[in-house]
Amino acid sequence: MGEFDLIRRFFQRPVAAGAPAGVEVGIEVGVGDDCAVLVPTPGARWLVSSDMLVEGRHFLSTVDPARLGHKALAVNLSDLAACGATPRGFTLALALPRADEAWLAGFSRGLLALADASGCPLVGGDTTQGPLNLCITVFGEAPPGRALLRSGARVGDEIWVSGRLGDARLALEVFRGTVVLDGAGFEAVRAAMECPTPRLALGQALRGIATAAIDISDGLLGDLGHILAASGVGACIELDALPRSATLAAQTAAWQRACLLAGGDDYELVFTAPPGVRLPDVGVLLTRVGRIEAEPGLRVVDARGEAVAHGLRSFDHFAS
């Protein structure tokens, strides 16, 4: 199977019968030409993000290919969610050691299922032979001046997170052999690690409400720290308020701190909003976990307001 057969079989999809290209999904020309031709919404602003997943660095070689396809797109859609963007399309650059048809069938199935569910079609990309490496670039839209950024947090704002944190890191520790879980517990946290849900509806609903936002990819401490740096403020996080699953809550206090504060791979949103503002109800758990302060730095306190010493930091690709 050659490169172009691979693309046609697993990644090129026909336009819906009777519908001219671009009418419904904003694509005039998609996969199969030198460039995609996208049709933007008049007056909207483009939001673009790229993420790379490298075998052995971002995922295990044993991961189910359908789950890997899902996650490859999900982590990119999570960036659009953090900015309140509506997805419009994505490109895929794929390096493969070999053209394994069974692997490609699973990978493309997981990838395109999430693409369909998110209204984010594949519009182009590249394939080559080499160590397994996935790079996706997503394109989204937002109304002028309405994109969520990291730089708008203000003193007195409350800090909120979506969903529950820490399960993906807990799953990684099971794979590493440092934590032992029963079958049901492991499958639950493994799903959090391998099949994250990008919070697109929440991000779009937070436009005009949240003052700043970011997705939690490298750990709450580091990612919230990016908001603080961009906004020129500090913050206090209440450790006991951080939402966690029953499986994580059953672990030692040290493991809970590590997973909640510096675990990474959560792909939930952390955002700031003025106190008392009405938050949108999009069927996602939202938890107030702290507040923005004038004093620089990020403090972590317990339920009594006492400082928690943790010595943790978030993931860094070159320092970890």
Short mmCIF file of all heavy atoms in Angstrom, two decimals, residues 268-316:
data_model
loop_
_atom_site.label_atom_id
_atom_site.label_comp_id
_atom_site.label_asym_id
_atom_site.label_seq_id
_atom_site.Cartn_x
_atom_site.Cartn_y
_atom_site.Cartn_z
N GLU A 268 -8.97 19.29 31.10
CA GLU A 268 -10.08 20.06 31.63
C GLU A 268 -9.71 21.54 31.50
O GLU A 268 -8.56 21.89 31.19
CB GLU A 268 -10.34 19.71 33.09
CG GLU A 268 -10.78 18.28 33.34
CD GLU A 268 -12.17 17.95 32.77
OE1 GLU A 268 -12.89 18.90 32.39
OE2 GLU A 268 -12.51 16.76 32.73
N LEU A 269 -10.68 22.41 31.71
CA LEU A 269 -10.43 23.85 31.67
C LEU A 269 -10.27 24.40 33.07
O LEU A 269 -11.00 24.02 33.99
CB LEU A 269 -11.57 24.59 30.97
CG LEU A 269 -11.88 24.20 29.52
CD1 LEU A 269 -12.92 25.16 28.93
CD2 LEU A 269 -10.63 24.17 28.66
N VAL A 270 -9.30 25.29 33.26
CA VAL A 270 -9.23 26.11 34.45
C VAL A 270 -9.44 27.55 33.98
O VAL A 270 -8.82 27.99 33.01
CB VAL A 270 -7.89 25.94 35.21
CG1 VAL A 270 -6.68 26.19 34.34
CG2 VAL A 270 -7.86 26.85 36.43
N PHE A 271 -10.37 28.25 34.63
CA PHE A 271 -10.71 29.59 34.18
C PHE A 271 -11.00 30.49 35.37
O PHE A 271 -11.26 30.02 36.48
CB PHE A 271 -11.89 29.57 33.20
CG PHE A 271 -13.18 29.05 33.77
CD1 PHE A 271 -14.12 29.90 34.32
CD2 PHE A 271 -13.47 27.69 33.73
CE1 PHE A 271 -15.32 29.44 34.84
CE2 PHE A 271 -14.66 27.19 34.24
CZ PHE A 271 -15.59 28.06 34.80
N THR A 272 -10.96 31.77 35.13
CA THR A 272 -11.25 32.76 36.16
C THR A 272 -12.52 33.52 35.76
O THR A 272 -12.80 33.70 34.58
CB THR A 272 -10.08 33.75 36.33
OG1 THR A 272 -9.83 34.41 35.08
CG2 THR A 272 -8.83 33.01 36.76
N ALA A 273 -13.25 33.95 36.77
CA ALA A 273 -14.49 34.69 36.54
C ALA A 273 -14.78 35.57 37.74
O ALA A 273 -14.39 35.23 38.87
CB ALA A 273 -15.66 33.73 36.29
N PRO A 274 -15.48 36.69 37.55
CA PRO A 274 -15.81 37.55 38.68
C PRO A 274 -16.68 36.82 39.70
O PRO A 274 -17.50 35.96 39.34
CB PRO A 274 -16.59 38.71 38.03
CG PRO A 274 -16.19 38.67 36.59
CD PRO A 274 -15.94 37.23 36.26
N PRO A 275 -16.53 37.13 40.99
CA PRO A 275 -17.37 36.48 42.00
C PRO A 275 -18.84 36.78 41.77
O PRO A 275 -19.21 37.89 41.40
CB PRO A 275 -16.88 37.08 43.32
CG PRO A 275 -16.02 38.24 42.96
CD PRO A 275 -15.59 38.09 41.56
N GLY A 276 -19.65 35.75 41.97
CA GLY A 276 -21.10 35.92 41.84
C GLY A 276 -21.64 35.82 40.44
O GLY A 276 -22.86 35.83 40.24
N VAL A 277 -20.77 35.71 39.43
CA VAL A 277 -21.26 35.64 38.06
C VAL A 277 -21.96 34.29 37.85
O VAL A 277 -21.58 33.27 38.45
CB VAL A 277 -20.09 35.80 37.05
CG1 VAL A 277 -19.18 34.58 37.04
CG2 VAL A 277 -20.64 36.05 35.64
N ARG A 278 -22.98 34.29 37.03
CA ARG A 278 -23.71 33.05 36.75
C ARG A 278 -22.97 32.27 35.67
O ARG A 278 -22.80 32.75 34.55
CB ARG A 278 -25.14 33.37 36.29
CG ARG A 278 -25.97 32.11 36.04
CD ARG A 278 -27.40 32.47 35.72
NE ARG A 278 -28.21 31.28 35.50
CZ ARG A 278 -29.52 31.29 35.23
NH1 ARG A 278 -30.16 32.47 35.15
NH2 ARG A 278 -30.18 30.17 35.05
N LEU A 279 -22.55 31.07 36.01
CA LEU A 279 -21.81 30.24 35.06
C LEU A 279 -22.75 29.43 34.20
O LEU A 279 -23.86 29.08 34.62
CB LEU A 279 -20.86 29.31 35.81
CG LEU A 279 -19.76 29.99 36.63
CD1 LEU A 279 -18.91 28.96 37.35
CD2 LEU A 279 -18.89 30.87 35.74
N PRO A 280 -22.35 29.08 32.99
CA PRO A 280 -23.23 28.33 32.08
C PRO A 280 -23.41 26.89 32.54
O PRO A 280 -22.50 26.30 33.14
CB PRO A 280 -22.48 28.39 30.75
CG PRO A 280 -21.05 28.54 31.13
CD PRO A 280 -21.06 29.41 32.36
N ASP A 281 -24.56 26.34 32.27
CA ASP A 281 -24.83 24.93 32.57
C ASP A 281 -24.80 24.16 31.25
O ASP A 281 -25.74 24.20 30.47
CB ASP A 281 -26.21 24.79 33.24
CG ASP A 281 -26.52 23.34 33.60
OD1 ASP A 281 -25.66 22.46 33.36
OD2 ASP A 281 -27.63 23.07 34.11
N VAL A 282 -23.69 23.46 31.02
CA VAL A 282 -23.55 22.66 29.80
C VAL A 282 -23.36 21.19 30.14
O VAL A 282 -22.84 20.41 29.35
CB VAL A 282 -22.39 23.17 28.92
CG1 VAL A 282 -22.68 24.56 28.40
CG2 VAL A 282 -21.06 23.14 29.68
N GLY A 283 -23.78 20.80 31.35
CA GLY A 283 -23.70 19.41 31.75
C GLY A 283 -22.32 18.97 32.19
O GLY A 283 -22.03 17.76 32.20
N VAL A 284 -21.45 19.92 32.57
CA VAL A 284 -20.10 19.61 33.01
C VAL A 284 -19.93 20.09 34.44
O VAL A 284 -20.33 21.22 34.77
CB VAL A 284 -19.04 20.28 32.11
CG1 VAL A 284 -17.63 20.02 32.62
CG2 VAL A 284 -19.18 19.79 30.67
N LEU A 285 -19.36 19.26 35.29
CA LEU A 285 -19.09 19.66 36.67
C LEU A 285 -18.15 20.85 36.70
O LEU A 285 -17.09 20.84 36.06
CB LEU A 285 -18.45 18.48 37.43
CG LEU A 285 -17.99 18.77 38.86
CD1 LEU A 285 -19.19 19.01 39.77
CD2 LEU A 285 -17.13 17.63 39.40
N LEU A 286 -18.53 21.90 37.43
CA LEU A 286 -17.68 23.08 37.62
C LEU A 286 -17.46 23.27 39.11
O LEU A 286 -18.42 23.26 39.89
CB LEU A 286 -18.34 24.33 37.02
CG LEU A 286 -18.61 24.30 35.52
CD1 LEU A 286 -19.32 25.58 35.09
CD2 LEU A 286 -17.33 24.11 34.74
N THR A 287 -16.20 23.47 39.51
CA THR A 287 -15.85 23.57 40.92
C THR A 287 -14.99 24.80 41.16
O THR A 287 -13.99 25.01 40.47
CB THR A 287 -15.08 22.31 41.38
OG1 THR A 287 -15.82 21.14 41.06
CG2 THR A 287 -14.82 22.36 42.88
N ARG A 288 -15.40 25.61 42.15
CA ARG A 288 -14.58 26.75 42.54
C ARG A 288 -13.43 26.24 43.39
O ARG A 288 -13.64 25.55 44.41
CB ARG A 288 -15.42 27.75 43.36
CG ARG A 288 -14.64 28.97 43.80
CD ARG A 288 -15.38 29.71 44.90
NE ARG A 288 -14.58 30.83 45.41
CZ ARG A 288 -13.61 30.71 46.31
NH1 ARG A 288 -13.29 29.51 46.80
NH2 ARG A 288 -12.94 31.77 46.72
N VAL A 289 -12.21 26.57 43.00
CA VAL A 289 -11.04 26.00 43.67
C VAL A 289 -10.08 27.05 44.23
O VAL A 289 -9.06 26.70 44.82
CB VAL A 289 -10.27 25.05 42.73
CG1 VAL A 289 -11.15 23.89 42.30
CG2 VAL A 289 -9.70 25.79 41.53
N GLY A 290 -10.38 28.33 44.05
CA GLY A 290 -9.46 29.34 44.56
C GLY A 290 -9.83 30.73 44.13
O GLY A 290 -10.94 30.98 43.65
N ARG A 291 -8.87 31.64 44.29
CA ARG A 291 -9.13 33.04 43.94
C ARG A 291 -7.84 33.69 43.44
O ARG A 291 -6.72 33.25 43.74
CB ARG A 291 -9.65 33.81 45.16
CG ARG A 291 -8.67 33.87 46.31
CD ARG A 291 -9.27 34.54 47.54
NE ARG A 291 -8.31 34.58 48.65
CZ ARG A 291 -8.09 33.58 49.49
NH1 ARG A 291 -8.77 32.44 49.33
NH2 ARG A 291 -7.21 33.70 50.45
N ILE A 292 -8.03 34.74 42.67
CA ILE A 292 -6.90 35.52 42.16
C ILE A 292 -6.52 36.59 43.19
O ILE A 292 -7.40 37.26 43.76
CB ILE A 292 -7.26 36.18 40.82
CG1 ILE A 292 -7.52 35.10 39.75
CG2 ILE A 292 -6.15 37.12 40.36
CD1 ILE A 292 -6.30 34.25 39.41
N GLU A 293 -5.22 36.75 43.41
CA GLU A 293 -4.71 37.70 44.39
C GLU A 293 -3.73 38.68 43.74
O GLU A 293 -3.21 38.42 42.66
CB GLU A 293 -3.98 36.94 45.52
CG GLU A 293 -4.87 35.96 46.25
CD GLU A 293 -4.11 35.19 47.32
OE1 GLU A 293 -2.88 34.99 47.17
OE2 GLU A 293 -4.76 34.78 48.30
N ALA A 294 -3.48 39.77 44.44
CA ALA A 294 -2.53 40.77 43.92
C ALA A 294 -1.09 40.33 44.12
O ALA A 294 -0.23 40.60 43.28
CB ALA A 294 -2.77 42.11 44.60
N GLU A 295 -0.82 39.64 45.22
CA GLU A 295 0.55 39.21 45.52
C GLU A 295 1.00 38.15 44.51
O GLU A 295 0.32 37.14 44.32
CB GLU A 295 0.61 38.62 46.93
CG GLU A 295 2.00 38.23 47.39
CD GLU A 295 2.91 39.41 47.64
OE1 GLU A 295 2.36 40.53 47.86
OE2 GLU A 295 4.12 39.23 47.63
N PRO A 296 2.14 38.34 43.85
CA PRO A 296 2.61 37.36 42.87
C PRO A 296 2.85 35.99 43.50
O PRO A 296 3.10 35.87 44.70
CB PRO A 296 3.93 37.97 42.37
CG PRO A 296 3.83 39.42 42.66
CD PRO A 296 3.04 39.52 43.94
N GLY A 297 2.75 34.96 42.66
CA GLY A 297 2.98 33.60 43.14
C GLY A 297 1.70 32.81 43.22
O GLY A 297 0.59 33.35 43.09
N LEU A 298 1.85 31.51 43.42
CA LEU A 298 0.71 30.59 43.50
C LEU A 298 0.78 29.84 44.83
O LEU A 298 1.66 29.00 45.03
CB LEU A 298 0.73 29.61 42.33
CG LEU A 298 -0.34 28.52 42.29
CD1 LEU A 298 -1.74 29.10 42.47
CD2 LEU A 298 -0.24 27.74 40.98
N ARG A 299 -0.11 30.19 45.74
CA ARG A 299 -0.17 29.53 47.05
C ARG A 299 -1.15 28.38 47.01
O ARG A 299 -2.19 28.44 46.35
CB ARG A 299 -0.62 30.52 48.13
CG ARG A 299 0.28 31.72 48.31
CD ARG A 299 -0.12 32.53 49.54
NE ARG A 299 -1.49 33.05 49.46
CZ ARG A 299 -2.44 32.82 50.36
NH1 ARG A 299 -2.20 32.05 51.42
NH2 ARG A 299 -3.65 33.36 50.21
N VAL A 300 -0.83 27.29 47.73
CA VAL A 300 -1.73 26.16 47.91
C VAL A 300 -2.02 26.04 49.39
O VAL A 300 -1.09 25.99 50.21
CB VAL A 300 -1.13 24.85 47.37
CG1 VAL A 300 -2.10 23.69 47.59
CG2 VAL A 300 -0.77 24.98 45.90
N VAL A 301 -3.32 26.02 49.75
CA VAL A 301 -3.70 25.96 51.16
C VAL A 301 -4.65 24.78 51.38
O VAL A 301 -5.27 24.26 50.44
CB VAL A 301 -4.36 27.27 51.63
CG1 VAL A 301 -3.41 28.45 51.44
CG2 VAL A 301 -5.67 27.52 50.87
N ASP A 302 -4.78 24.38 52.66
CA ASP A 302 -5.72 23.32 53.00
C ASP A 302 -7.06 23.92 53.42
O ASP A 302 -7.27 25.14 53.30
CB ASP A 302 -5.14 22.41 54.08
CG ASP A 302 -4.85 23.14 55.40
OD1 ASP A 302 -5.40 24.25 55.62
OD2 ASP A 302 -4.07 22.60 56.21
N ALA A 303 -7.95 23.09 53.93
CA ALA A 303 -9.30 23.55 54.28
C ALA A 303 -9.28 24.58 55.41
O ALA A 303 -10.23 25.35 55.56
CB ALA A 303 -10.17 22.36 54.68
N ARG A 304 -8.21 24.59 56.20
CA ARG A 304 -8.09 25.56 57.30
C ARG A 304 -7.41 26.84 56.86
O ARG A 304 -7.21 27.75 57.66
CB ARG A 304 -7.32 24.93 58.46
CG ARG A 304 -7.98 23.70 59.06
CD ARG A 304 -7.20 23.17 60.26
NE ARG A 304 -5.85 22.78 59.87
CZ ARG A 304 -5.53 21.59 59.35
NH1 ARG A 304 -6.49 20.69 59.14
NH2 ARG A 304 -4.28 21.31 59.05
N GLY A 305 -7.00 26.89 55.58
CA GLY A 305 -6.32 28.07 55.08
C GLY A 305 -4.83 28.06 55.34
O GLY A 305 -4.14 29.08 55.12
N GLU A 306 -4.30 26.93 55.81
CA GLU A 306 -2.87 26.83 56.10
C GLU A 306 -2.11 26.38 54.86
O GLU A 306 -2.60 25.55 54.07
CB GLU A 306 -2.64 25.86 57.25
CG GLU A 306 -3.28 26.32 58.56
CD GLU A 306 -3.07 25.33 59.69
OE1 GLU A 306 -2.47 24.25 59.45
OE2 GLU A 306 -3.54 25.61 60.81
N ALA A 307 -0.90 26.90 54.70
CA ALA A 307 -0.11 26.59 53.51
C ALA A 307 0.22 25.10 53.44
O ALA A 307 0.54 24.47 54.45
CB ALA A 307 1.17 27.41 53.52
N VAL A 308 0.15 24.57 52.22
CA VAL A 308 0.50 23.17 51.96
C VAL A 308 1.85 23.13 51.25
O VAL A 308 2.00 23.69 50.16
CB VAL A 308 -0.57 22.48 51.08
CG1 VAL A 308 -0.12 21.07 50.72
CG2 VAL A 308 -1.91 22.47 51.79
N ALA A 309 2.85 22.52 51.89
CA ALA A 309 4.15 22.35 51.25
C ALA A 309 4.08 21.13 50.34
O ALA A 309 3.67 20.05 50.76
CB ALA A 309 5.23 22.16 52.32
N HIS A 310 4.47 21.30 49.07
CA HIS A 310 4.31 20.18 48.14
C HIS A 310 5.54 19.91 47.28
O HIS A 310 5.78 18.78 46.87
CB HIS A 310 3.10 20.43 47.22
CG HIS A 310 3.11 21.73 46.51
ND1 HIS A 310 3.88 21.96 45.40
CD2 HIS A 310 2.46 22.90 46.77
CE1 HIS A 310 3.70 23.20 44.98
NE2 HIS A 310 2.85 23.80 45.80
N GLY A 311 6.33 20.91 46.97
CA GLY A 311 7.53 20.70 46.17
C GLY A 311 7.27 20.15 44.77
O GLY A 311 8.14 19.54 44.17
N LEU A 312 6.08 20.39 44.24
CA LEU A 312 5.69 19.85 42.94
C LEU A 312 5.83 20.89 41.84
O LEU A 312 5.71 22.09 42.09
CB LEU A 312 4.24 19.35 42.98
CG LEU A 312 3.95 18.21 43.96
CD1 LEU A 312 2.45 18.04 44.13
CD2 LEU A 312 4.58 16.90 43.46
N ARG A 313 6.04 20.42 40.63
CA ARG A 313 5.97 21.30 39.47
C ARG A 313 5.39 20.52 38.31
O ARG A 313 5.44 19.28 38.27
CB ARG A 313 7.35 21.84 39.11
CG ARG A 313 8.35 20.79 38.66
CD ARG A 313 9.67 21.43 38.29
NE ARG A 313 10.62 20.46 37.76
CZ ARG A 313 11.83 20.77 37.33
NH1 ARG A 313 12.22 22.04 37.37
NH2 ARG A 313 12.63 19.84 36.87
N SER A 314 4.85 21.23 37.35
CA SER A 314 4.19 20.58 36.22
C SER A 314 5.19 20.04 35.21
O SER A 314 6.39 20.32 35.25
CB SER A 314 3.23 21.57 35.54
OG SER A 314 2.14 21.85 36.37
N PHE A 315 4.68 19.26 34.28
CA PHE A 315 5.50 18.61 33.27
C PHE A 315 6.13 19.65 32.35
O PHE A 315 5.51 20.64 31.96
CB PHE A 315 4.63 17.68 32.43
CG PHE A 315 5.36 16.96 31.33
CD1 PHE A 315 6.18 15.88 31.60
CD2 PHE A 315 5.25 17.41 30.02
CE1 PHE A 315 6.86 15.23 30.57
CE2 PHE A 315 5.92 16.77 28.99
CZ PHE A 315 6.73 15.68 29.26
N ASP A 316 7.40 19.42 32.01
CA ASP A 316 8.11 20.24 31.05
C ASP A 316 8.85 19.29 30.12
O ASP A 316 9.58 18.41 30.58
CB ASP A 316 9.09 21.18 31.77
CG ASP A 316 9.82 22.11 30.81
OD1 ASP A 316 10.65 21.61 30.02
OD2 ASP A 316 9.57 23.33 30.86
#
